Amino acid sequence: AETYFCFIKAFSNNEGGAIPPLSTDAISEISIGRESSIVSASTNNLSTSDGNKSRADKRGSIMYGIQNAVSSTIAANRRAFRTAKQKRLKRLGKRRLTKQSNLSVTKTVKTQLDMGNAILEDLYPGIKIDTSSDACPKCSYVLDEDSIILGWKPCEVKDFSTTCPSCKHKFIPKFSVSCNLESFMGSQGKATPLYCDYLSPWVLLQEIRGLINTERAPQLASKAAKFFGIEDDSNNVEVKGGVDAIIDPKFRDGNGINATLWWNMIVTFRRFKIPFTFLLQGSYKDQQLIMPLLEDM
């Protein structure tokens, strides 16, 4: 009311005149208008806050869905990786080896294999190569040839051992070679069995490559001549190296490392049905063992 009278007095031209009385209706209209404006403003504020809250909730739900999708994808990838790893380990743990009798070869290869076995029997009458009588030194389990092969560590060129399938003990396997030839030099002298370390194909390949790829002079030193089974003299006998030295009969004579390498090649080639006639060519200098067949020409 005091504000009303002040405004009337300030803007009235009749300063001396009487100030009209303030009606309660005007006061009520002003109050109602003010209250309605306050209510509408608060309503607008509430509606705005509700809209902002709904938009925030919507954004939060979208982010939550994205996080759930990413987490699900990561979890699925981890499960798939673990499953693939378990399958791979299971497959490697259950390696299978094709039996020698189940290996298929062509007619030409079979002819070479039969001829190689016949020539080997001719050079070493009554030859017997035993690859399935070696026993584990820890549990005495007798390993056959396939068990020895499955116990090798693939692609290891410096691991000479196999693993026993019974007790998992690692040891160096052996095989024996015997024949009726009196001049055959075994581990304990002439006419005795020759015991050789059974080398994996990777170790054998590494050793043979070292012999073939090494450049040798026409005249070998005494150490190299001794390795190749050749008696060296003061004149340094001239001999051949590389493949020619390996197929030389003197290379496989005796019971040293050279004989072990040569008989390992015979055992490995026979097991996987690979022709080995060329290894016997040195015993037939005047005759070519590997002759081309008509169907090969």
Side-chain angles (χ1 to χ4, degrees), residues 99-120:
K99 297 291 185 180
Q100 184 180 13
S101 58
N102 295 334
L103 292 174
S104 301
V105 295
T106 62
K107 184 179 179 180
T108 304
V109 173
K110 185 178 183 304
T111 300
Q112 293 293 335
L113 290 172
D114 294 340
M115 185 172 64
N117 289 324
I119 296 174
L120 191 64

Side-chain angles (χ1 to χ4, degrees), residues 250-264:
K250 295 181 180 179
F251 177 79
R252 59 180 183 265
D253 287 344
N255 51 15
I257 182 64
N258 47 359
T260 297
L261 293 176
W262 193 86
W263 285 107
N264 265 277

Side-chain angles (χ1 to χ4, degrees), residues 224-245:
K226 182 179 180 180
F227 178 83
F228 281 102
I230 301 169
E231 295 296 335
D232 184 37
D233 55 18
S234 59
N235 295 326
N236 288 331
V237 179
E238 183 176 345
V239 294
K240 295 180 180 180
V243 178
D244 292 333

Side-chain angles (χ1 to χ4, degrees), residues 182-239:
E182 295 182 358
S183 61
F184 181 77
M185 182 63 69
S187 299
Q188 298 179 355
K190 292 184 177 181
T192 61
L194 175 65
Y195 293 93
C196 303
D197 293 340
Y198 198 169
L199 306 178
S200 70
W202 302 279
V203 175
L204 181 60
L205 179 61
Q206 178 77 4
E207 297 296 330
I208 297 301
R209 277 180 175 174
L211 293 177
I212 295 177
N213 296 338
T214 301
E215 296 181 359
R216 299 180 182 275
Q219 294 182 347
L220 295 178
S222 59
K223 184 177 180 180
K226 182 179 180 180
F227 178 83
F228 281 102
I230 301 169
E231 295 296 335
D232 184 37
D233 55 18
S234 59
N235 295 326
N236 288 331
V237 179
E238 183 176 345
V239 294

Side-chain angles (χ1 to χ4, degrees), residues 68-205:
N68 285 340
V70 172
S71 300
S72 301
T73 303
I74 294 175
N77 291 338
R78 288 177 177 174
R79 288 194 299 269
F81 177 78
R82 285 197 299 266
T83 303
K85 184 178 180 179
Q86 292 174 356
K87 289 183 178 180
R88 183 170 65 254
L89 293 176
K90 186 177 181 180
R91 184 173 62 254
L92 293 176
K94 294 184 177 180
R95 290 188 299 164
R96 293 292 182 267
L97 184 66
T98 304
K99 297 291 185 180
Q100 184 180 13
S101 58
N102 295 334
L103 292 174
S104 301
V105 295
T106 62
K107 184 179 179 180
T108 304
V109 173
K110 185 178 183 304
T111 300
Q112 293 293 335
L113 290 172
D114 294 340
M115 185 172 64
N117 289 324
I119 296 174
L120 191 64
E121 177 70 25
D122 181 63
L123 293 174
Y124 301 95
I127 186 171
K128 181 180 179 181
I129 302 177
D130 189 1
T131 57
S132 300
S133 298
D134 199 16
C136 174
K138 184 176 181 180
C139 67
S140 301
Y141 180 84
V142 179
L143 283 74
D144 58 8
E145 186 175 13
D146 289 353
S147 297
I148 293 175
I149 294 175
L150 289 174
W152 285 328
K153 195 171 182 180
C155 303
E156 285 292 335
V157 298
K158 295 183 179 180
D159 191 355
F160 292 76
S161 62
T162 187
T163 303
C164 176
S166 178
C167 65
K168 306 304 179 183
H169 177 67
K170 295 179 73 67
F171 66 98
I172 299 177
K174 294 182 180 295
F175 66 88
S176 62
V177 181
S178 59
C179 67
N180 299 331
L181 196 64
E182 295 182 358
S183 61
F184 181 77
M185 182 63 69
S187 299
Q188 298 179 355
K190 292 184 177 181
T192 61
L194 175 65
Y195 293 93
C196 303
D197 293 340
Y198 198 169
L199 306 178
S200 70
W202 302 279
V203 175
L204 181 60
L205 179 61

